[in-house]
Each structure stands twice: as structure tokens, then as C-alpha cells.
Amino acid sequence: MSFSCVRLGGLALLAFISSVAVRAQSFTGPTFVDFVARGNTNYDIAIYADTVVGGSDYSSAYASFGGIYGSSYSYIGESGVYLQFNNIHKVGSQWIADSVYKAEFTNATGNYEHTYYYNFALPSSGWIYGNAECNGYSQTVDGYINGYGTAPNDPPAPAISVAGRSSGDSVPVGTTITVYYSATDTNGNLNGIRYHAWNSSTGFHDDNFGNYVTQSGSSGQVTKNFTLSTAGDWYFWTDARDTPGLTASTPAFGSGFKITAYVNSTTYCVPAYAPSYWNDWSTIQYNNNCYNYSNNVRTDTFAQPGRASGNMYSSINATEVSNGAISDGLIPTDAWSVDPDGRTKIALVIDPGWDFHWYRQDSDGRWSHKPGGTSATNLDNSGNLITNPETADRGGYTEFVGYFFTPSDCAQGQGHAVIN
């Protein structure tokens, strides 16, 4: 006589395993378990897949989790696999089950065989799988997950840095700096970062109106540019917050990351057009480019905007190249302004997506330039004297970006811009 292959909620196995005392979350079907995300320190897991009520039909069952696999088959309509993981907890970085109990129904004896594992290593996350079948009837895996103990929560760790600068550095007033406000969270609970900039001379304080910039996960960063327009000590610091509400800060106010802005007493001077210095057909000409020439600084490194200040452009466009130059200390301006401290005016143009180029206004009011490692000249691509870089024949450099002031010097190659 054959009975229908019906599973009665795993009652046969649960009755057989009289020590089971599961609670908390139950599940049905394939289930993903992430111990860290669940937020407990300890877990018990019970898993079963079985057909119940005997007969003469073929049946099979299997269940698996974390490297433990159990299977069962029989010709009496009853198959079953039961897995029980006890006191899963973390030892160092490894999750360990104190013991694992496995019961599998065997056709040969008509009974359950039992296997025990101790101090069994488990992954921090994984899938629970299982299924039972009999005479066309299929039943998916079921079970329970019991989590207890609240996992410890560490506060986030904030950090502060300034591109190309160390705390305690001094820069001329008007320098633009790039500040990185960052934080890490070992528990993956980072919630927000709040930035601070404070000038001790005026009391200026920018803290985003007290608001945190939303973050998530294990790390985050907020990047801000500040122009140090006032002399004195400027301080920068970071607050970080996690989801449970813990906060931490880097040293603040007078103990924060300090940059001192000073009024530059250097006497600047607009250089004359003197191409012989640059056109030596040797080291100076071949190793100094348009950025060197326009800033009147010999470095022999083919200087690039932002490289010296740790903020070099990442693509050829107006924003990237301009930001690199500004971080080197250049000051954006317009076609008509004259710098009261005697800085030299230079101009940036771009061959879109391909290259950029710089022009310099000399002491006679006309403009000159040095294309790459070639000769310095005051002629445009048509052979005309350059009186206005906006209207000159610039060849492929069709995009005129704008003007900047650079702290030059009358002596050729001795400008004061910090470039490399």
C-alpha cells in the first residue's frame, strides 16, 4: 500500500531531535545568511528538508549550508536531512560553530544516521539550500535562525588631509587648496561626514551649516576647495558619524590641520620678451614647456598644472587644467584687471580632448609663448605679433579658457610660482 508523500512540517525529525529549541526568524526556501549584516555576535541555525508518511514510493532529500551537505533517499516514501549549527560566533576574523549536528535518513536501515562536527569554520555569509521530493511532490527547505548578543560597534575613524600640503605649511594669501575630509568605519556603518574650515583671524567658520554630508558603507570622503583670501592661520578638521549614532572628530580649531596664509612681501615683476634665454637648443629649451615659460619658472621637468601641489589634471578640459593651475597658486582673473602686486598675466587655451597651451603677457604688453620643447616666440600661427591671445591664430587650440595671474620675476626663469 502506498501513501501520499506529504511532509508534515518536519514534525518527525523535530520530534526525533528532542533537544531542538529554535526561536527568532523562521525561513522557507533558499535563504541568504550574512552574520555581519544581521548584527549579532552569536547564532544558532536549524535546517530541515524531508518527506514524512511512509509508503512504497521513492523519495529523496538534501540540505546544505556553509560547507555541510546532507542527503537522503529511500523506497518507503520517507527521506529527511536535518542540520543544526550551535553557537556560531566569531573567533578573530573567522566565524566558528561550536558544534554541528547532521541527521540523514538511510534506506538501508530505515533510521537516521548521525554525524557531529566540532569547531567548524563557516563563511561570514552564504546560502542555505535544500529540497525534498517524492512521487512528483516537492517541498523546499525550512528552518530557523536564532541570533543573540549585540555585535560591538566601533566609532568611525575620521581623517583630514590637504593636497600637496602638510599641517603647518605657509602659503601666500589667495592660494586655493584642496581639502580631503574622509572617514572609515570597521563595522560598515558610516553615516555622514561633516567638514570644517576656520580662520583664526576673522572667526570665519564653514561647517556646512552644521550638516553632515551623507555617507554609507565602510569609507567615505568629502572634497572641498578653499581660497585662503585672508591672512592668518586656517584650520581644517573632520567629524564622522555612524548609523547607531556614534561620532568622532579629528583635532579641531587651534589643534586642527593648519595652513598659514601670509601677505607676500616678494616684489613681483613682469618679465621682458627675451627668447634667447629659453632658446638655447639644449637643456632649457628641450625640458621646459609652455607652462614653464608662461610662469617664467625653469624646472627642466616639462612642468604640468597641479603636479607640484598634488592636484594634477586627470583629463584635458578647462575645469581639470584650471583647477590644477589654481592649486599651484595661480589666481584666476580677466582680460582687463591689473594685479596690484605686480603679478604677470597668462592665458590658457585648449585643443579639445587633445592638448592645452599657455601664453604669457610680457612687459611690452604683447604676448609670447613656447610650444612644448620648441622655441619661445611672440608670433602666432600666422606669423603675426600676438597682441591678444583671444583673437590670435592659435591653430587647433580653439577653446579659450581664461586668464590667470602668476607670481613672476623680471629675471628669466626665476618666477616664484611653485610648479613641477
Side-chain angles (χ1 to χ4, degrees), residues 175-356:
T175 298
T176 297
I177 62 173
T178 301
V179 186
Y180 303 112
Y181 302 88
S182 59
T184 57
D185 191 298
T186 57
N187 307 114
N189 294 326
L190 186 62
N191 175 264
I193 292 174
R194 181 167 58 195
Y195 61 83
H196 295 266
W198 178 63
N199 176 249
S200 61
S201 300
T202 63
F204 165 85
H205 183 200
D206 183 358
D207 66 347
N208 197 31
F209 301 100
N211 298 315
Y212 283 84
V213 179
T214 301
Q215 306 287 316
S216 63
S218 299
S219 63
Q221 179 174 285
V222 176
T223 302
K224 296 288 292 182
N225 292 322
F226 292 98
T227 298
L228 309 187
S229 56
T230 303
D233 293 332
W234 290 75
Y235 292 92
F236 306 90
W237 67 96
T238 311
D239 302 328
R241 180 179 65 189
D242 68 7
T243 301
L246 291 182
T247 61
S249 302
T250 60
F253 290 98
S255 299
F257 193 111
K258 183 178 78 169
I259 300 291
T260 300
Y262 61 89
V263 176
N264 198 328
S265 59
T266 301
T267 301
Y268 301 125
C269 181
V270 177
Y273 174 59
S276 60
Y277 172 84
W278 299 94
N279 302 342
D280 67 345
W281 299 95
S282 185
T283 301
I284 297 177
Q285 177 173 327
Y286 300 142
N287 295 288
N288 294 274
N289 58 9
C290 63
Y291 194 53
N292 290 102
Y293 181 80
S294 61
N295 283 282
N296 192 26
V297 177
R298 174 189 173 182
T299 65
D300 296 339
T301 63
F302 243 60
Q304 300 296 318
R307 186 161 66 189
S309 54
N311 192 36
M312 184 170 159
Y313 59 89
S314 58
S315 59
I316 305 297
N317 61 60
T319 299
E320 286 282 327
V321 179
S322 295
N323 285 344
I326 292 169
S327 73
D328 285 342
L330 274 63
I331 303 172
T333 185
D334 54 40
W336 307 278
S337 297
V338 176
D339 183 72
D341 295 322
R343 291 177 177 83
T344 298
K345 186 174 292 186
I346 64 177
L348 171 63
V349 298
I350 285 182
D351 183 345
W354 179 252
D355 195 15
F356 58 85

Side-chain angles (χ1 to χ4, degrees), residues 7 25-32 48 127-128 130 139-145:
R7 189 228 257 174
Q25 180 189 352
S26 62
F27 62 85
T28 298
T31 300
F32 186 74
Y48 57 88
W127 282 92
I128 294 172
Q139 176 67 49
T140 190
V141 67
D142 278 286
Y144 304 87
I145 302 173

Side-chain angles (χ1 to χ4, degrees), residues 392-414:
D393 182 356
R394 304 190 301 268
Y397 298 92
T398 56
E399 181 181 355
F400 188 87
V401 178
Y403 298 94
F404 299 80
F405 284 130
T406 184
S408 193
D409 193 280
C410 282
Q412 295 295 323
Q414 300 300 309

Side-chain angles (χ1 to χ4, degrees), residues 69-120:
Y69 178 86
S71 63
S72 168
Y73 69 92
S74 78
Y75 294 96
I76 60 174
E78 179 177 350
S79 293
V81 176
Y82 177 79
L83 303 175
Q84 180 176 331
F85 298 79
N86 300 308
N87 192 29
I88 302 168
H89 61 287
K90 201 171 186 181
V91 178
S93 60
Q94 179 66 60
W95 288 91
I96 300 288
D98 280 351
S99 64
V100 181
Y101 172 77
K102 178 170 71 172
E104 300 166 298
F105 185 88
T106 65
N107 187 65
T109 65
N111 294 307
Y112 286 87
E113 290 188 351
H114 317 298
T115 307
Y116 296 89
Y117 307 86
Y118 298 96
N119 296 318
F120 189 84

